[in-house]
Amino acid sequence: MPKAQETILEIDLNALKHNFDYLKSKLQPETKFLAVVKAYGYGSDACEIAKHLQELEVDYLAVAYVNEGVLLREAGITKPILVLHPQTVNFKKLIANCLEPSLYNPKVLTEFIAIASKKNQTDYPVHIKFNTGLNRLGFWENDVAFIASKLKQTKTIKVASIFSHLAASEDLTEKEFSLNQIKTFKSITDNFLNIIDYKPVLHLCNTSGILNYPEAHLNMVRSGIGLYGFGNCKKENKHLKPIGTLKTIISQIHQIEKGESVGYNRAFKSNNFLKTATLPIGHADGIGRQYGNGKGFVIINGQKAPIIGNVCMDMIMVNITNIDCKEGDEVIVFGQEATAEALAEVVNTISYELITSISQRVKRIFIK
Ligand SMILES: *Cc1c(COP(=O)(O)O)cnc(C)c1O
């Protein structure tokens, strides 16, 4: 790759294929694969990621909201798209774009049937979501009879899948809880299959579910973070490759004398002579203020340069006192070696939050 000349997010589509192949190697050949591309493909680029996965013959895609699905359709994505958290106000748009809703309570089920039947739909594919312990979205186990009665009254919808979501699949100290969710889901689906005369797809596992609960892969798995290169544990991270590398450059170098301050509110005051580099990336690009004042760091010519003072909207200043570098040199914020997960850890958050925060003004560049 040529050296970065501005702040860019490089997205390695070969790494995406590597991660997809690795995750698929954990599945039975008949198990379907749903790729989660919500939140701009976890901060990368949903359309490019979806196009590439479509070429790799992924079975299904998922987004959180209707607008995200519309963007994929406008980019020419033809695979089925599950919308995990649609809002009823967008149901018409959802139908117009052949997106498939997750229906998670009596209200959305009833409203969806009403709108879809007004649009003269028959057998419109929907996905019934059950709550098995996350207590976020989903019907309760004792709603099965209600759903059955609704399904009997209408030909408008057809249940394409039944699913639930694990609350702590990455945390093996919660194994008993996860096994209990798996058991509850089995009992719900056994019940459900008795009330309809066809077989919806059953799915439960996210990335860590795929890796930690092979017995729960069922008919399909849903992977997000694993595709982007993180396995939520050291052992699995070794097999996966972060697809995104966030790069920037040194705009200016300053010599700071003892007693001077750096940045807004004079948050940093120097006890010694030091050198700083100013970089064109700030909290408006996704490097939050919590990374400031020595917590976060970047990599310059292989060495760690901690952020000095407060993070500005468009810039950060880093300490380069002991680093051999010059204005115009490339800087790595995170990538395959200094990972987003490691950087996120210094402010007690997770890779998911850091990578999905990279704002849309950062240019995306694709490596194929
Ligand atoms: C985001 C999401 C996923 C993907 O989870 P990862 O941990 O990123 O693999 C799967 N299922 C649901 C319901 C989600 O909201």
Side-chain angles (χ1 to χ4, degrees):
M1 280 310 284
K3 294 278 179 201
Q5 294 181 295
E6 61 183 324
T7 301
I8 57 170
L9 181 63
E10 253 177 38
I11 296 157
D12 182 349
L13 296 173
N14 303 315
L16 177 67
K17 179 177 185 322
H18 168 90
N19 298 333
F20 181 60
D21 289 343
Y22 176 71
L23 293 162
K24 281 216 307 191
S25 76
K26 299 285 166 185
L27 309 179
Q28 298 297 317
E30 65 277 12
T31 307
K32 290 180 196 292
F33 197 106
L34 175 152
V36 181
V37 297
K38 62 193 180 191
Y40 294 103
Y42 286 43
S44 58
D45 183 305
C47 294
E48 288 299 321
I49 298 292
K51 271 187 209 163
H52 198 63
L53 289 168
Q54 182 164 280
E55 280 167 27
L56 298 174
E57 299 189 351
V58 75
D59 297 287
Y60 244 95
L61 295 164
V63 291
Y65 300 112
V66 170
N67 283 346
E68 298 180 303
V70 172
L71 285 181
L72 295 180
R73 288 290 182 243
E74 285 169 357
I77 301 299
T78 53
K79 287 282 168 192
I81 301 173
L82 162 57
V83 182
L84 293 164
H85 194 185
Q87 308 296 308
T88 56
V89 67
N90 298 318
F91 277 163
K92 282 184 194 143
K93 207 193 271 175
L94 176 143
I95 294 169
N97 286 278
C98 297
L99 305 171
E100 304 178 8
S102 157
L103 301 177
Y104 54 85
N105 69 3
K107 180 172 180 285
V108 296
L109 174 63
T110 308
E111 288 189 35
F112 187 75
I113 292 172
I115 290 169
S117 72
K118 250 196 222 141
K119 298 258 164 213
N120 299 318
Q121 299 294 325
T122 48
D123 288 344
Y124 197 95
V126 302
H127 302 261
I128 305 291
K129 169 90 179 268
F130 282 95
N131 174 29
T132 53
L134 181 58
N135 292 334
R136 189 172 72 172
L137 284 183
F139 285 103
W140 289 79
E141 187 166 10
N142 57 15
D143 288 323
V144 172
F146 168 82
I147 301 167
S149 75
K150 281 285 184 187
L151 291 174
K152 285 218 174 77
Q153 289 160 23
T154 182
K155 290 204 162 18
T156 304
I157 59 169
K158 183 162 182 183
V159 180
S161 86
I162 309 172
F163 74 112
S164 186
H165 195 32
L166 298 171
S169 56
E170 72 279 25
D171 182 356
L172 292 176
T173 66
E174 293 289 358
K175 188 161 189 176
E176 198 185 322
F177 186 88
S178 298
L179 291 174
N180 215 32
Q181 279 195 278
I182 295 168
K183 213 169 100 193
T184 306
F185 187 62
K186 172 135 193 358
S187 129
I188 291 169
T189 54
D190 284 350
N191 233 335
F192 206 104
L193 294 178
N194 281 331
I195 59 157
I196 50 174
D197 52 10
Y198 53 92
K199 283 216 161 85
V201 168
L202 309 181
H203 50 117
L204 178 61
C205 285
N206 63 347
T207 300
S208 291
I210 296 172
L211 300 171
N212 294 331
Y213 298 96
E215 69 275 30
H217 290 174
L218 309 175
N219 307 131
M220 182 160 82
V221 295
R222 304 184 303 272
S223 179
I225 200 75
L227 288 171
Y228 305 100
F230 300 96
N232 296 331
C233 76
K234 289 217 167 67
K235 180 174 146 266
E236 292 298 346
N237 282 345
K238 273 193 231 139
H239 297 288
L240 296 162
K241 290 185 187 163
I243 71 162
T245 300
L246 182 59
K247 293 180 173 177
T248 186
I249 67 163
I250 298 179
S251 296
Q252 190 172 10
I253 290 177
H254 289 292
Q255 323 257 344
I256 307 294
E257 298 296 335
K258 183 175 170 181
E260 285 191 279
S261 63
V262 177
Y264 281 131
N265 307 107
R266 309 192 65 206
F268 178 83
K269 291 197 177 119
S270 184
N271 296 322
N272 299 96
F273 169 81
L274 59 90
K275 283 195 306 171
T276 64
T278 302
L279 316 179
I281 184 168
H283 62 73
D285 301 288
I287 305 303
R289 291 182 86 249
Q290 66 273 30
Y291 290 95
N293 297 306
K295 289 220 174 94
F297 55 87
V298 299
I299 307 293
I300 300 177
N301 294 329
Q303 284 180 271
K304 263 190 187 182
I307 299 175
I308 272 191
N310 285 322
V311 171
C312 313
M313 187 183 294
D314 313 305
M315 285 168 255
I316 51 176
M317 281 69 90
V318 297
N319 189 341
I320 53 158
T321 307
N322 299 312
I323 303 177
D324 181 22
C325 59
K326 58 185 189 307
E327 291 172 350
D329 278 4
E330 183 177 86
V331 175
I332 307 290
V333 183
F334 60 69
Q336 298 198 338
E337 274 133 56
T339 65
E341 186 172 85
L343 183 54
E345 260 167 29
V346 304
V347 298
N348 299 319
T349 187
I350 53 176
S351 60
Y352 297 69
E353 183 180 8
L354 178 55
I355 63 177
T356 58
S357 301
I358 303 311
S359 72
Q360 291 299 301
R361 78 172 178 187
V362 175
K363 185 170 169 189
R364 271 65 173 167
I365 288 179
F366 301 92
I367 307 173
K368 230 177 175 171

